């Protein structure tokens, strides 16, 4: 069972190659990285990877993007993140409207 921080998004794995460890216990992942780039279509060199192992000896690499610390609170607040996603979906459907400045709330205390 994976911890709450680990999420297996798809249980279907496609073999992309085989490899052996070198003298420093490293393994080449170039074919896996090429497959990853084909899936996500982004520059993979800027990604980090969370590494997880299970009791069967399998290793899972989960690509991650770094989030600036001042924006990390949003990803730790499920309600706020869902609200942002709803707003983006509504804006995508043309339902966004300008409601003015929030500058007067800039010094409001947040609970």
């Amino acid at each position: 069972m994976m911890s709450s921080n680990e999420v297996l998004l798809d249980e279907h794995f496609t073999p992309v190659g085989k490899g052996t460890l070198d003298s420093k216990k490293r393994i080449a992942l170039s074919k896996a990285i090429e497959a990853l780039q084909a899936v996500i279509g982004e520059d993979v060199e800027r990604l980090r990877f969370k590494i997880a192992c299970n009791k069967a000896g399998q290793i899972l690499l989960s690509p991650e993007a770094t989030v600036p610390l001042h924006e990390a609170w949003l990803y730790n607040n499920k309600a706020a993140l869902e609200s942002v996603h709803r707003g983006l979906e509504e804006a995508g459907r043309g339902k966004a409207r300008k409601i003015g400045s929030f500058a007067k709330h800039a010094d409001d205390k947040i609970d």
Side-chain angles (χ1 to χ4, degrees):
M1 179 173 196
M2 302 181 88
S3 75
S4 61
N5 291 332
E6 309 300 326
V7 178
L8 187 59
L9 301 173
D10 184 346
E11 294 183 7
H12 179 76
F13 288 87
T14 302
V16 293
K18 293 182 178 182
T20 57
L21 297 176
D22 67 12
S23 63
K24 293 185 177 181
K25 298 182 181 178
R26 297 176 298 192
I27 189 165
L29 297 172
S30 56
K31 290 183 181 178
I33 298 301
E34 289 171 8
L36 171 64
Q37 191 158 16
V39 170
I40 65 172
E42 291 185 30
D43 181 17
V44 294
E45 278 124 23
R46 67 181 184 82
L47 298 176
R48 297 173 46 98
F49 292 88
K50 183 182 287 184
I51 305 165
C53 300
N54 65 17
K55 290 181 180 177
Q58 295 174 307
I59 300 170
L60 174 67
L61 299 175
S62 298
E64 298 180 333
T66 303
V67 176
L69 184 60
H70 68 277
E71 295 177 8
W73 70 270
L74 180 60
Y75 296 95
N76 293 322
N77 184 325
K78 186 177 178 182
L81 185 58
E82 288 174 354
S83 179
V84 168
H85 286 165
R86 264 193 321 278
L88 291 172
E89 288 175 22
E90 290 173 5
R93 293 190 315 257
K95 293 194 172 198
R97 62 185 167 90
K98 189 167 186 161
I99 58 174
S101 173
F102 286 86
K104 67 182 180 185
H105 300 289
D107 295 326
D108 288 357
K109 293 193 176 204
I110 299 173
D111 296 331

